[in-house]
């Protein structure tokens, strides 16, 4: 067993909180947490603390929420904590070189991809969308560049054909904890052998916008099927449908590929208890779980009971 480390943890969403919990359950000592400022959330737009802040407060760990770490006073505050290492997981703020230089063992990051593939903001979703066969977590020594640092520890997993952004997130959250502890063990023992990334093999996982989630029915069905899985549970792919009451936004939670069906892209080919069959640029998708405005996600058969006119064969979606 190596010596316990004094750790400052920086992170914001559930994925980060899962790793904070692993550290809290270990022999190491988390002396402070950094997280994004509270944000308005829900219909009432009340300020909501991040999952990392909520966990830290339950465990009586000090919480810092600076708007930026470029402020010299924020850097002095961090240095005064006297941590051995800073662990960063989906924090959401850029760490300037002055901050990276503060902890004696540096700053390490848990990244949800097999670096150098999918550097950037949305590695989980982009891996599914691209049809990757595997994913993983990389524990990386941080540099000033975007996810460019040498990798200390890597852990891999298969992306199953039915995986969504949500299910792969959960797989990687489970992989990340043990990998993080292994990286800390190597750092504490002075035996880490970082692997320099091959920049020529790098790909970038750009942030996903809600508009990007709009279905383009001209695209092949297999591409749309991957996109729908990747963007579930957020931001959830959507299209539009119309009747005499006007146009409605239809969120699509799950589909099945139907390669042998064809028609004008966006056209409803059939609608029955098996789902709503819609033609794509190549092949078709059977929509199996949908959500209309103001409602909850339901099986297509339930949606058809009250809204069959929206999905009559020949109707066009996305017009």
């Amino acid at each position: 067993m190596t010596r316990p480390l004094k750790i400052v943890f920086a992170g914001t969403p559930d994925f980060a909180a899962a790793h904070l919990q692993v550290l809290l359950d270990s022999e190491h000592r988390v002396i402070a947490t950094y997280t994004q400022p509270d944000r308005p959330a829900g219909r009432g737009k009340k300020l909501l603390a991040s999952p990392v802040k909520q966990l830290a407060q339950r465990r009586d760990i000090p919480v810092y929420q600076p708007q930026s770490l470029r402020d010299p006073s924020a850097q002095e505050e961090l240095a005064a904590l006297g941590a051995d290492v800073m662990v960063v997981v989906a924090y959401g703020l850029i760490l300037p070189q002055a901050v990276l230089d503060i902890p004696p063992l540096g700053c390490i990051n848990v990244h949800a991809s097999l670096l150098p593939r999918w550097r950037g903001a949305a590695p989980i979703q982009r891996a599914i969308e691209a049809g990757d066969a595997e994913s993983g977590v990389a524990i990386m020594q941080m540099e000033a560049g975007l996810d460019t640092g040498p990798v200390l520890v890597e852990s891999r997993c298969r992306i199953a054909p039915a995986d969504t952004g949500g299910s792969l997130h959960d797989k990687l959250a489970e992989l990340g904890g043990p990998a993080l502890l292994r990286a800390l063990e190597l750092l504490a023992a002075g035996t880490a052998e970082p692997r320099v990334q091959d920049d020529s093999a790098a790909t970038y996982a750009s942030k996903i916008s809600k508009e990007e989630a709009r279905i383009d029915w001209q695209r092949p069905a297999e591409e749309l099927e991957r996109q729908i899985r990747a963007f579930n549970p957020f931001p959830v792919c959507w299209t539009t449908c119309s009747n005499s009451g006007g146009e409605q936004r239809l969120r699509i939670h799950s589909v099945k590929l139907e390669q042998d069906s064809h028609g004008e892209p966006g056209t409803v080919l059939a609608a029955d208890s098996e789902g709503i069959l819609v033609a794509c640029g190549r092949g078709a998708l059977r929509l199996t779980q949908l959500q209309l405005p103001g409602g909850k996600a339901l099986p297509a058969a339930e949606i058809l009971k009250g809204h069959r006119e929206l999905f009559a064969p020949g109707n066009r979606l996305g017009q």
Side-chain angles (χ1 to χ4, degrees):
M1 177 178 167
T2 55
R3 66 183 174 95
L5 298 174
K6 286 194 299 180
I7 296 172
V8 166
F9 184 89
T12 298
D14 287 322
F15 187 76
H19 290 80
L20 175 57
Q21 184 65 62
V22 168
L23 294 177
L24 294 173
D25 294 339
S26 74
E27 73 274 22
H28 301 295
R29 186 158 69 92
V30 179
I31 59 175
T33 57
Y34 279 69
T35 192
Q36 288 275 305
D38 299 357
R39 308 288 190 201
R43 293 184 177 178
K45 297 298 180 185
K46 292 183 179 178
L47 288 177
L48 181 66
S50 75
V52 163
K53 181 177 179 178
Q54 293 178 41
L55 175 55
Q57 289 180 326
R58 289 198 298 273
R59 299 294 293 265
D60 294 325
I61 298 170
V63 176
Y64 297 83
Q65 297 177 279
Q67 294 286 345
S68 168
L69 285 174
R70 298 188 185 281
D71 184 347
S73 63
Q75 295 171 10
E76 291 173 6
E77 192 173 52
L78 174 62
L81 294 170
D84 296 311
V85 63
M86 185 171 186
V87 173
V88 181
V89 188
Y91 179 27
L93 283 186
I94 293 173
L95 271 57
Q97 190 62 50
V99 168
L100 299 177
D101 292 338
I102 290 175
L105 295 179
C107 299
I108 63 173
N109 174 243
V110 179
H111 188 75
S113 82
L114 299 173
L115 292 169
R117 188 160 177 81
W118 303 127
R119 294 173 177 171
I124 297 174
Q125 294 89 343
R126 297 303 183 195
I128 296 174
E129 190 181 17
D132 288 4
E134 65 173 355
S135 181
V137 291
I139 315 300
M140 174 189 62
Q141 191 87 51
M142 295 180 73
E143 297 179 341
L146 178 64
D147 300 330
T148 58
V151 175
L152 299 167
V153 174
E154 182 180 86
S155 186
R156 296 170 175 261
C157 70
R158 175 174 169 265
I159 299 178
D163 264 332
T164 63
S167 66
L168 184 56
H169 165 282
D170 293 346
K171 283 185 184 179
L172 299 183
E174 286 193 17
L175 285 180
L180 173 59
L181 292 180
R182 176 61 179 157
L184 292 172
E185 180 183 346
L186 294 172
L187 285 175
T191 56
E193 296 181 358
R195 169 180 60 81
V196 176
Q197 294 186 41
D198 178 3
D199 290 339
S200 67
T203 59
Y204 289 89
S206 58
K207 186 176 180 180
I208 294 168
S209 69
K210 290 185 178 179
E211 184 57 34
E212 188 185 355
R214 181 170 187 160
I215 292 289
D216 176 1
W217 294 106
Q218 300 289 336
R219 295 175 61 200
E222 63 268 25
E223 290 184 9
L224 293 178
E225 189 267 348
R226 293 199 303 264
Q227 183 188 20
I228 288 165
R229 285 192 290 113
F231 290 13
N232 182 356
F234 180 83
V236 180
C237 285
W238 60 275
T239 188
T240 56
C241 54
S242 303
N243 62 5
S244 57
E247 186 179 84
Q248 300 189 59
R249 181 178 289 208
L250 180 69
R251 304 178 86 200
I252 302 173
H253 289 263
S254 65
V255 297
K256 292 181 180 176
L257 267 176
E258 298 283 351
Q259 297 283 30
D260 294 333
S261 297
H262 305 281
E264 285 297 315
T267 302
V268 176
L269 303 175
D272 53 34
S273 60
E274 299 298 316
I276 299 162
L277 187 64
V278 183
C280 304
R282 183 176 66 236
L285 290 178
R286 190 176 297 276
L287 317 187
T288 56
Q289 190 173 41
L290 312 168
Q291 185 178 10
L292 286 167
K296 59 183 181 180
L298 292 170
E302 293 296 315
I303 295 280
L304 287 173
K305 287 179 181 176
H307 304 278
R308 185 168 290 278
E309 78 285 357
L310 286 173
F311 307 104
N315 283 4
R316 294 284 293 272
L317 304 184
Q319 296 295 298

